[in-house]
Amino acid sequence: MALVVICGQPCSGKSKAAICLAEALKESESKQQVRIIDEASLHLDRNQSYANMPAEKNLRGVLRSEVDRSVSKDNIIIVDSLNNIKGYRYELWCLARGTGIRYCVVHCDVEEGQCRIWNKERRDRGEANYDDTIFEDLVRRFEKPDSRNRWDSPLFELWPHRDGIEKSSSSIVDAVLYLTKTVDSKTRDVKILQPTIATQNTHFSDANSLYELDKATQEVTNAIVEAQSQALGGPLDRISVSKDLPTINMTRPVGLPELRRMRRTFIKLTGQTSLSGPPPPSDAHSAKRMFIDYLNRELGST
């Protein structure tokens, strides 16, 4: 039914805001199923996940994939993470639009100095916190949401240091009303995102095309698994699927679960079309080439 993106500086009260919003939604008359997706629920350590750009890119990919699998017209998904990059919030907005559901952003607006104090207090209590170097890097790169952007709208703002966060906080109440309000032909203040040509899955020209795409991507995946197995954990820079295809440039070992996630995402993206985008591959060779190009981009080697 809806996707809610929580964003803010590190240690700005985002997790408490997510919990309060989830509890308020569960107590509302709509009785919607609510789920919070965050690093902890996926067993991801925050310092390891933000240690460098490849790790951070992988974190966002894991979170995005989990949102993609979970979002539907039957529940409310709350993404409790930094969500500090506007381009990433746009990707989440596209997932909501592709599903045809409501979307909103909840911003915890706290001064950087106060976030530093809260981070230190968490460390002193032995609670999850950010290393100082990582904290400063994240603070520097935070891109504040702007309600004029469609992917940041509607925007509900909280000021945890000034007002605290409770289920009864005005912005929490407003967000609940927005997310649970019954929509009819006269409703003007609630926007249900509608899938477009660019976000709706399209049918391939025939069943054989889908079969070839599935088979081709599986063959590439098998080649990567086999090559890594033969390397016995040693360094592996390039993998060749065949002499007439680009090599797969490996900057790090990639496990089978991650390969499967990337394969599912590629198949879904390839099944989408836009007026300006490339057409789906028409044969196995083209599908393999496109999948290898996609892997190289995702693995950060190009």
Side-chain angles (χ1 to χ4, degrees):
M1 178 181 177
L3 176 62
V4 182
V5 175
I6 308 286
C7 78
Q9 294 281 18
C11 297
S12 58
K14 298 182 299 299
S15 293
K16 184 173 182 181
I19 291 172
C20 287
L21 178 58
E23 291 177 349
L25 285 166
K26 291 175 182 177
E27 294 174 2
S28 67
E29 294 182 359
S30 66
K31 304 297 181 182
Q32 291 291 325
Q33 292 292 320
V34 183
R35 181 190 173 194
I36 297 175
I37 295 177
D38 57 6
E39 291 91 343
S41 67
L42 300 175
H43 309 290
L44 298 171
D45 178 84
R46 64 180 64 187
N47 283 308
Q48 292 178 3
S49 297
Y50 292 104
N52 50 57
M53 293 309 295
E56 185 174 332
K57 182 178 180 181
N58 180 67
L59 166 68
R60 288 198 292 268
V62 171
L63 288 170
R64 183 177 58 244
S65 295
E66 188 63 25
V67 172
D68 192 17
R69 285 192 294 269
S70 304
V71 72
S72 72
K73 295 184 178 181
D74 300 319
N75 57 20
I76 297 177
I77 299 297
I78 301 175
V79 189
D80 173 23
S81 187
L82 290 177
N83 298 314
N84 55 336
I85 307 299
K86 61 183 179 182
Y88 182 60
R89 295 197 295 271
Y90 173 74
E91 292 179 21
L92 296 176
W93 177 83
C94 286
L95 290 180
R97 184 175 63 172
T99 309
I101 57 177
R102 306 181 202 196
Y103 171 94
C104 71
V105 173
V106 176
H107 176 215
C108 292
D109 195 349
V110 179
E111 293 291 333
E112 296 174 11
Q114 185 59 48
C115 292
R116 289 189 185 91
I117 293 173
W118 283 347
N119 188 51
K120 185 178 183 301
E121 289 177 350
R122 292 183 185 181
R123 184 179 304 154
D124 293 341
R125 294 193 298 266
E127 299 175 356
N129 63 89
Y130 294 91
D131 294 342
D132 289 338
T133 301
I134 293 175
F135 179 90
E136 294 301 329
D137 178 61
L138 292 173
V139 165
R140 177 180 58 83
R141 293 191 291 111
F142 179 70
E143 297 177 344
K144 189 173 182 179
D146 185 339
S147 61
R148 291 173 296 182
N149 298 327
R150 53 185 173 172
W151 56 86
D152 290 333
S153 176
L155 178 63
F156 300 97
E157 295 193 283
L158 293 166
W159 293 271
H161 181 232
R162 187 189 72 186
D163 304 329
I165 306 175
E166 304 292 340
K167 289 186 293 184
S168 58
S169 297
S170 59
S171 293
I172 295 290
V173 173
D174 290 343
V176 170
L177 290 174
Y178 178 82
L179 294 167
T180 60
K181 185 174 182 178
T182 301
V183 177
D184 55 32
S185 59
K186 298 180 180 179
T187 304
R188 294 291 181 268
D189 57 344
V190 175
K191 184 177 182 181
I192 308 296
L193 299 181
Q194 297 299 323
T196 65
I197 294 176
T199 59
Q200 280 186 307
N201 287 345
T202 60
H203 296 291
F204 287 86
S205 57
D206 53 54
N208 188 59
S209 296
L210 181 57
Y211 170 78
E212 290 295 338
L213 178 66
D214 184 79
K215 181 180 177 182
T217 53
Q218 186 62 60
E219 288 179 6
V220 174
T221 301
N222 292 342
I224 296 173
V225 172
E226 178 65 21
Q228 291 186 131
S229 176
Q230 292 180 0
L232 299 176
L236 185 63
D237 296 331
R238 295 175 181 274
I239 297 175
S240 177
V241 178
S242 68
K243 62 181 181 180
D244 53 347
L245 287 171
T247 58
I248 303 168
N249 304 317
M250 304 292 291
T251 58
R252 58 178 174 82
V254 183
L256 184 57
E258 184 178 359
L259 283 172
R260 286 172 174 167
R261 284 196 299 271
M262 288 192 288
R263 178 172 174 262
R264 285 197 300 267
T265 302
F266 171 77
I267 291 175
K268 181 172 182 177
L269 291 173
T270 307
Q272 298 172 347
T273 185
S274 67
L275 295 177
S276 60
S282 58
D283 57 81
H285 183 82
S286 298
K288 289 179 182 179
R289 179 178 293 274
M290 288 179 64
F291 186 41
I292 290 172
D293 289 342
Y294 171 80
L295 290 174
N296 282 334
R297 289 196 304 272
E298 288 298 302
L299 294 172
S301 58
T302 59

